Every structure is written in C-alpha cells, then in structure tokens.
Amino acid sequence: MAETAGRPFRLPAPRRTGAPGEHASETTARLRPVSADPVPDEPAAPFGRSSARGTTTTRPAPPPRPAHRPSAPAAPITPDPALSWSATRPLVSFGEPEGYDGDARPRPLGRRGASQAAAAAVCLVLGLGLISGAVTGSWLVGGSGDEGSPSTFAAAGSLWHSVPVDQLFPPTVQGRGAGPGGADRTWTRIAVAPDSGCKDAFDPLLRKALAPVGCERLLRATYTDATESYVTTVGLLFTTADAPGMTALANRFRKERLDRRSDLMPLPYAAKGTPAADFGPPQRASWTVSVLTEAPVVVYAVSGWADGRTVDDPQPAGDAVEADAATAVAQAGLGNEAQGLADRVERDFRRNVRSASEQPS
C-alpha cells in the first residue's frame, strides 16, 4: 500500500478464462467476469471494493490533504494601462474634432501645420483675385454690377471729348451670333452726327424721363446691315449726374419698365444721301435703352427698314428677340439689329473707360 499510495488508480485488465485464481499477496483486486445470470440476492459491491468469494479488497486511501492555511488577502488587481481601451483610443472632445498625423498619432483637426496654413493663404489670395477679375470682366462685357470707383466714373464721363469717334463708333462692327437664330451680323457706319446737346434730340416724354440726370453731350451714329435692308441709330448720352443719380434712374427704368414704352422711343438720326435718309419717327420699328450705373452714360439704339416703310406696331428689342416672338418686326430681325448693335457699342465704350482709368494721371 505504501508503494502505490501516490500512484493513480487504474482499473485492472479483465480476467481471462482459465487465469489463475487470486492469492493473498496481490495488492489490487481483480474483476470477476460477469455471468449472464447474476445472482439476484447478492448485493452489488460498492465502487472501489470487489467481492470475490467472500474476500473483500479495500481501495487504497488517498493521500492526506495538507493542513489548511489561511490565505493572505488578495491584492487588488490593477489593469495594465498598455492593455486598456483608453490607452489606444484617441481622446474625443466635442469642441475640437480629431484626426491623425503621419505617425498615426491623434491630433486635433483644428490645428494645421505651417504648410497647410500657407496653402490656405494662397487659396484665399487666388480666390480674391478671381472674384475681382470676374467683377471687372462682367463690367467690360456689359454685365450689371456694383457702382464703379469714383476715378472710373469720372473717367467715363470725359470720354466724349478725349476718345476718337472711331473708337466710340467703329466704322465696322462685327456681331457674331447677334442675328436671329444666332446668325452673324456685320454693321457698317454710314453717318455720324455732330456732338451736340439734347435739345430736340428726344421726344418730349423721353426727354422728361431723362431730365433728372441732365445732359452733358449726345453722340450718335447710324449703321446699316450688310444687305442695306435695315438702318439703326445708336447713341451715347453723357449725363451730368453722379453715381447715386444714375442708379436711381436705372432703378426707375427697371421698375416702371420705361424701356418698353413705345412713347419713350429714341429718335433716329437720318443722314441725307445715305440709306438712312428716310429713317424718321414713323419708321421706328424696335428700340432699346440701357442706363449704366458705373458711368454717367445712357446707351440706346433704334432700328427700322431702309426703304422708308412705316411701322404701326413697334416692339421693344427685349420682346422682339424672344424665340416665340411672331410679329413682323421680330420675324424681320429688327429687334436683333437694335439690341446687337447697342450691346457691342456699349462693350467698346467699357473698354475705352478701362483704358482711360488705367492711364497715369
């Protein structure tokens, strides 16, 4: 028993038929073969004990347990910071979102490096340059915008006596896409009126509407198309008003739609010995009036047939150039004649203003 006290317990192999019987020197019990008809009155031996013909073998006792020692109080378990979620999770703040730098370290997104700050400054400068360029460009091509600078406004008001007539009214004006359906137009100057005041230059109602801005000088020229079928007079009225005065007049024309009233049509300039010789008030077919706010100038144009026919129902150019306009004036393209020529003369005027304002004083 002493030799087997520390060994694990194993069940003995089953006894074979004809094996020798047990003897007293054996230290382990052998299992008997189970017969097909067990004896009903023989109680089953408890686990660990075997009965063999009245012989009882006791299972070796397990080794004694060591004496119980009171264990020391367990030390509090402190989590390893390296394994903590907060050690690897980036700090989140509601007021300052985070990102990561090149070394995958968290950093606030609000902080920028020197290179990023420089790039942002460059973008800001470029953006301001593009905006200012767009404003200047829109002024040059006739777009409505804010009032020009005082120096530009003053320079525009003096162009009537400082710029040659060929720059204000070119001998030939190209109107690409200015005709009906986007057709090209070419206008040739056939007459230039002497510069003058505004007396008898406008019908009474139009003269009254323009009176608040005054009249410094009036310049006019008459053109014809390539086929000499139409004639168009274009004018530049230089006023004595300041920028607020021009803005007030432009707002009134827009709100009251004065540029659409047939009783406020400009008068043509009918030069003798030209295709416009018979171009009088009854021959006016379409017109346009544009009050500038960045220059003391009113640009206008009026068109008609070159053969002297009268027009009973004139139509403003803004209506005659619409795609669905079906009047005789619109179908003939007379609205395109007035609108297209006025637009290009106005563009040339704006270029002259820019050139004059850039010259050193």
Side-chain angles (χ1 to χ4, degrees), residues 61-359:
R65 294 183 179 180
H68 176 71
R69 297 179 181 179
S71 58
I77 300 175
T78 303
D80 187 356
L83 300 179
S84 175
W85 166 255
S86 61
T88 58
R89 177 179 178 270
L91 179 62
V92 177
S93 59
F94 289 98
E96 190 175 21
E98 295 179 345
Y100 294 90
D101 58 14
D103 298 328
R105 292 174 299 184
R107 64 168 178 80
L109 290 178
R111 300 177 183 175
R112 297 180 177 179
S115 60
Q116 291 177 318
V122 171
C123 292
L124 177 61
V125 173
L126 291 177
L128 292 177
L130 291 174
I131 292 174
S132 60
V135 172
T136 303
S138 65
W139 195 90
L140 289 175
V141 299
S144 61
D146 297 334
E147 298 178 359
S149 64
S151 60
T152 301
F153 192 90
S158 63
L159 288 185
W160 65 270
H161 62 77
S162 60
V163 175
V165 65
D166 286 351
Q167 293 186 22
L168 295 176
F169 301 118
T172 302
V173 177
Q174 299 294 333
R176 298 188 181 278
D184 295 338
R185 280 288 189 266
T186 300
W187 297 285
T188 303
R189 191 184 68 195
I190 58 177
V192 176
D195 59 315
S196 63
C198 297
K199 184 179 179 180
D200 300 328
F202 301 104
D203 285 337
L205 285 180
L206 182 56
R207 182 170 63 248
K208 182 179 179 180
L210 297 174
V213 296
C215 177
E216 177 69 21
R217 190 65 56 174
L218 177 62
L219 306 181
R220 295 171 292 172
T222 299
Y223 289 79
T224 187
D225 68 307
T227 64
E228 296 187 355
S229 300
Y230 315 111
V231 286
T232 304
T233 294
V234 60
L236 295 174
L237 169 61
F238 289 82
T239 73
T240 59
D242 55 8
M246 296 301 297
T247 301
L249 181 64
N251 290 337
R252 183 188 175 194
F253 263 73
R254 183 180 66 256
K255 293 178 181 179
E256 301 180 19
R257 299 174 64 87
L258 300 183
D259 57 340
R260 304 296 181 94
R261 288 176 50 173
S262 59
D263 56 350
L264 296 178
M265 280 191 297
L267 288 172
Y269 174 64
K272 296 181 180 181
T274 69
D278 297 327
F279 187 25
Q283 283 75 36
R284 294 176 292 182
S286 188
W287 76 98
T288 179
V289 179
S290 177
V291 180
L292 306 186
T293 58
E294 55 278 85
V297 174
V298 177
V299 183
Y300 69 87
V302 56
S303 64
W305 275 279
D307 58 5
R309 74 181 74 177
T310 60
V311 179
D312 297 329
D313 189 16
Q315 188 176 21
D319 295 338
V321 298
E322 294 292 337
D324 57 349
T327 64
V329 172
Q331 294 296 320
L334 286 166
N336 299 85
E337 296 292 312
Q339 188 70 63
L341 187 57
D343 287 346
R344 278 145 187 85
V345 169
E346 182 178 332
R347 292 181 185 184
D348 288 341
F349 174 76
R350 293 175 183 275
R351 293 189 184 97
N352 288 313
V353 171
R354 182 184 182 187
S355 178
S357 62
E358 291 177 349
Q359 293 178 0

